[in-house]
Amino acid sequence: MAITKAGVRQRAEAAIAIDAVVTEGRSLDWALARADEKLDPADRSMVRMLCFGCLRYHWQLRAQLRMLLERPLKARDSVIESLLIVGFFQLSDTRVPDHAAVSTTVDAARLLRRPKYAGLINAVLRNYMRRNISESEAQDDEARFNHPAWLIEHLRKDWPDHWQQIISANNDRAPMWLRVNGQHMTAAAYQQAHAIDGQLLPGADQALRLEKPAAVDELPGFELGHLSVQDAAAQMAAPWLLAGHPDGVVRVLDACAAPGGKTCHLLELLGADADLTAIDNDKKRLTSIQENLARLGMDATVLAADASKPGEWWNGVGFDRILLDAPCSATGVIRRHPDIKLLRRQEDIHALARRQRQMLAALWALLNPGGRLLYVTCSVLVEENEAVVGDFLSTHTDAREDRVLHDYNIRDLMYDKTPGFQVLPGTQGMDGFYFASLEKVSG
Amino acid sequence: MAKLTILEFPDPRLRRRATDVESVDDTLRQLIDDMFETMYDAPGIGLAATQVDVHRRLLVADVSSEKDDPWALINPVILERDGVEVTEEGCLSVPGFYEEVERSGHIQVRFLDREGAEVEAEFTGLLAVCVQHEIDHLDGKLFVDYLSEAKRQRIRRRLVKDQRQRQHDAAAAL
């Protein structure tokens, strides 16, 4: 009979998940959900830590692997390469004792049903320590910056003075931000009431950055709908869209709304009489909007609909406010999704930008005169941000940029673009977001 | 001392029912030592003679983390059992698969020790589970037999594929 120690299972599952991202092109979320089915809840955080670390430092760790392996392993044994990477990461970046890192990683080969690799893994990990490989100089930019070459180039071109800052923030760990439900209290009051160890952010009254990440359902008030998990930059969208809105009913459209974080924030600000329509193209993800609404005790019209084809779903009644949180490269949230660095391709950016232009033009027709559309992405790339909005403004005479902010404290958190504003990842611990507020004038 | 080859599911030899050991002698004690070496190396916590293609009623077990609690049971018979213990079991003959199995949590067993003396002992917890798992082997039974048919067939397909791949690799290496 054989049994598996938890540590061995964690290493094996981490290697399987990393391999699914690296060789099958799966998202890390997908791979972790699959791993969770096989893991005890107690083992999940270790697997996450290993996966995030190995994907963050993917290029550096792969370069180190090439220094120690005479030739790559057979394609069908790629999971063993991922397992070796898991071993390197433990030895170089974690507090796992070296002997435990080696023995659990070696034993994981058996769990992966490749026992013949146990000897090789043992030898490679010992060489890694003996030759001090973790300290070796990076040979190229990909290994030095842990980003694909095309993205380094793209960032360098778009942000000549900030690209290294962006890259370094992308490779950092992201803090956990809460959004306290403004219908109940401010973030400051919540922090005080529950003695939460965290940081407030001037300009974002509902945002609270936790010093240490916590299990969300253990936070006081979560089940009651008093708080949500949402990055502070994402929390700018709803108040910005509604800034200066007259009292009474305003018709609001939240386009590409899943999973509903901003939808709920809009409703918290609008109150019970709100007339809000939330749409998303992905039927499965609509469930997440419904769940979030239910938890917060709120109501909205939720539709499965394509924002670029209003003809299929729009009833002809105009909106006063439209939030377009456009599908994008997510290059502003790489620290939360390090797999983006491996999954995204340069050609994806052009395709995304085309789609963003279609959506913006299509939704513009739905906006009432005097209304506002807030264009938002979690991208840091010019092609998806100011290029989209700039071209839109130059071709639409009834559109002009509205530079009004809901709170001028946020001004210093953003870079002024023409048009729009960019929050870079890592600024006050926030994700990278782009915002452009557009007003419809009589043309 | 010698490391022995462990048969892998679905090898039909794992389905043979073992017969009683007739004499406890040096040859048998050598087999016991080899089985311990094979088990510790695998690494496993129990091994039945059936798994190394010897069809005699003999098993070895050590569930300690320090490898300092070895048990060798010859002609074991379960006299009494009670309680329930659910364990995620794996098997050196079904490498890489682990599934929950429900067994008795407490057993009383009569067997011969490596000197041939008759012993009665009580086992609880993981050791009880392990002894039951190994006695199953002596009766031609595997832990996968407790799983659903679909699960068993999936494991079987995966292992057969692995075995073919290994044969292919071995042939290619020649």
Side-chain angles (χ1 to χ4, degrees):
Chain A
M1 180 172 159
I3 49 172
T4 315
K5 296 194 186 102
V8 178
R9 166 139 303 177
Q10 290 158 4
R11 274 66 177 183
E13 289 299 334
I16 291 171
I18 292 162
D19 189 52
V21 173
V22 174
T23 65
E24 294 170 38
R26 299 282 189 176
S27 76
L28 180 58
D29 281 347
W30 182 93
L32 287 174
R34 188 176 64 169
D36 282 353
E37 287 175 14
K38 293 180 277 176
L39 286 166
D40 279 346
D43 295 331
R44 289 175 188 164
S45 66
M46 182 67 176
V47 171
R48 277 176 168 65
M49 189 273 274
L50 294 172
C51 290
F52 272 80
C54 290
L55 293 173
R56 272 194 188 114
Y57 304 119
H58 172 83
W59 284 269
Q60 183 187 349
L61 294 167
R62 293 279 154 177
Q64 294 172 353
L65 185 65
R66 286 195 296 276
M67 294 170 70
L68 290 167
L69 276 187
E70 278 172 33
R71 49 171 186 262
L73 303 182
K74 293 192 180 100
R76 66 164 182 273
D77 291 326
S78 60
V79 70
I80 295 295
E81 291 195 358
S82 292
L83 181 61
L84 282 164
I85 298 282
V86 169
F88 294 174
F89 175 65
Q90 291 172 81
L91 293 172
S92 61
D93 275 286
T94 70
R95 279 179 288 182
V96 177
D98 289 354
H99 65 90
V102 173
S103 70
T104 52
T105 306
V106 168
D107 286 349
R110 299 189 173 97
L111 197 56
L112 295 168
R113 298 184 302 114
R114 287 167 178 80
K116 68 172 177 180
Y117 281 112
L120 175 113
I121 293 168
N122 189 47
V124 169
L125 294 182
R126 287 187 188 285
N127 269 338
Y128 187 83
M129 291 188 283
R130 189 173 51 77
R131 290 171 51 188
N132 211 8
I133 299 288
S134 65
E135 303 298 321
S136 55
E137 196 74 28
Q139 298 298 310
D140 59 33
D141 276 358
E142 289 196 328
R144 187 171 306 124
F145 297 119
N146 280 301
H147 278 58
W150 73 266
L151 185 54
I152 298 171
E153 212 36 59
H154 211 130
L155 291 170
R156 209 190 298 237
K157 179 166 66 72
D158 285 1
W159 292 95
D161 299 326
H162 302 92
W163 64 277
Q164 280 184 301
Q165 171 196 334
I166 295 170
I167 278 175
S168 143
N170 287 350
N171 291 336
D172 268 349
R173 284 199 271 187
M176 181 167 172
W177 283 95
L178 300 181
R179 184 186 79 239
V180 178
N181 185 338
Q183 294 185 334
H184 295 281
M185 58 179 96
T186 62
Y190 178 82
Q191 181 183 27
Q192 198 167 22
H194 301 289
I196 307 261
D197 191 8
Q199 289 288 323
L200 298 165
L201 179 65
D205 294 343
Q206 304 310 127
L208 176 59
R209 184 175 74 190
L210 300 183
E211 283 306 321
K212 280 196 203 111
V216 65
D217 46 8
E218 285 168 18
L219 289 167
F222 178 76
E223 289 302 327
L224 299 169
H226 293 184
L227 44 101
S228 306
V229 176
Q230 188 181 42
D231 189 85
Q235 293 187 40
M236 290 183 184
W240 200 333
L241 179 72
L242 300 177
H245 86 87
D247 288 339
V249 178
V250 176
R251 237 173 93 74
V252 180
L253 174 67
D254 183 1
C256 315
K262 297 185 187 78
T263 316
C264 292
H265 194 187
L266 285 166
L267 289 166
E268 287 168 12
L269 295 170
L270 285 163
D273 300 332
D275 179 2
L276 186 140
T277 304
I279 64 169
D280 202 278
N281 208 7
D282 186 340
K283 278 199 184 107
K284 268 186 278 177
R285 296 186 72 209
L286 287 178
T287 320
S288 60
I289 305 181
Q290 300 283 18
E291 282 167 4
N292 271 318
L293 288 169
R295 188 175 56 81
L296 292 148
M298 294 192 280
D299 196 27
T301 307
V302 180
L303 300 174
D306 184 339
S308 63
K309 295 173 183 160
E312 295 175 357
W313 54 270
W314 185 44
N315 65 3
V317 183
F319 293 97
D320 305 306
R321 297 284 188 273
I322 296 176
L323 176 61
L324 172 53
D325 187 1
C328 70
S329 61
T331 41
V333 294
I334 283 175
R335 58 201 193 130
R336 293 192 193 280
H337 303 279
D339 51 329
I340 288 170
K341 294 190 289 188
L342 285 122
L343 302 177
R344 210 64 79 216
R345 300 277 175 267
Q346 180 145 33
E347 53 273 24
D348 296 346
I349 307 301
H350 310 313
L352 285 162
R354 267 197 305 279
R355 184 143 176 76
Q356 288 151 359
R357 284 162 193 264
Q358 283 168 0
M359 283 189 174
L360 180 53
L363 292 177
W364 190 251
L366 280 53
L367 188 65
N368 289 331
R372 175 185 300 146
L373 183 150
L374 188 68
Y375 177 85
V376 182
T377 71
C378 55
S379 167
V380 295
L381 304 179
V382 169
E383 188 177 345
E384 299 179 274
N385 294 339
E386 53 264 45
V388 170
V389 178
D391 286 354
F392 178 80
L393 286 170
S394 65
T395 52
H396 290 72
T397 51
D398 60 346
R400 73 175 176 91
E401 193 192 2
D402 168 4
R403 305 284 288 179
V404 173
L405 301 179
H406 59 285
D407 184 326
Y408 280 83
N409 280 312
I410 65 172
R411 187 62 197 79
D412 294 338
L413 303 175
M414 305 186 296
Y415 290 88
D416 210 332
K417 307 304 285 184
T418 319
F421 296 92
Q422 177 83 51
V423 180
L424 288 184
T427 307
Q428 295 287 322
M430 290 188 290
D431 285 342
F433 267 84
Y434 173 84
F435 302 92
S437 175
L438 306 176
E439 187 190 0
K440 196 170 204 171
V441 293
S442 327
Chain B
M1 299 274 275
K3 232 171 65 186
L4 307 168
T5 303
I6 299 175
L7 302 179
E8 283 189 16
F9 177 67
D11 192 311
R13 287 170 289 182
L14 288 168
R15 294 308 190 177
R16 282 176 63 179
R17 202 186 144 81
T19 54
D20 275 346
V21 170
E22 276 151 21
S23 70
V24 180
D25 53 18
D26 283 350
T27 313
L28 190 80
R29 279 186 281 272
Q30 181 61 53
L31 174 62
I32 291 172
D33 290 343
D34 290 347
M35 282 172 63
F36 271 118
E37 186 188 347
T38 306
M39 178 190 83
Y40 285 130
D41 179 75
I45 59 168
L47 186 68
T50 307
Q51 290 174 277
V52 293
D53 203 18
V54 175
H55 301 279
R56 291 287 177 266
R57 299 191 79 80
L58 162 67
L59 66 90
V60 297
D62 185 350
V63 302
S64 72
S65 48
E66 307 301 322
K67 303 181 182 178
D68 58 0
D69 188 26
W71 288 85
L73 278 61
I74 301 160
N75 299 340
V77 178
I78 295 178
L79 303 173
E80 277 178 45
R81 56 169 80 229
D82 58 69
V84 173
E85 183 90 19
V86 177
T87 312
E88 195 183 48
E89 294 186 16
C91 180
L92 300 176
S93 295
V94 190
F97 292 94
Y98 295 81
E99 296 289 345
E100 284 189 347
V101 176
E102 187 180 309
R103 300 188 188 269
S104 305
H106 171 245
I107 54 173
Q108 192 173 2
V109 185
R110 185 174 63 216
F111 58 92
L112 304 179
D113 70 10
R114 60 181 288 144
E115 307 307 328
E118 189 171 296
V119 181
E120 271 187 31
E122 289 186 33
F123 299 123
T124 58
L126 185 56
L127 185 53
V129 167
C130 182
V131 167
Q132 292 168 77
H133 177 114
E134 303 313 333
I135 290 177
D136 272 356
H137 275 303
L138 303 179
D139 294 329
K141 192 166 183 181
L142 296 163
F143 87 100
V144 293
D145 299 343
Y146 294 96
L147 310 178
S148 70
E149 184 61 19
K151 226 172 215 175
R152 213 163 62 86
Q153 289 303 336
R154 196 175 67 232
I155 292 173
R156 185 192 159 96
R157 275 197 302 276
R158 296 275 298 270
L159 283 176
V160 168
K161 197 174 147 206
D162 283 1
Q163 288 157 17
R164 279 209 200 105
Q165 190 63 59
R166 281 208 300 272
Q167 280 165 10
H168 176 84
D169 287 352
L174 286 177

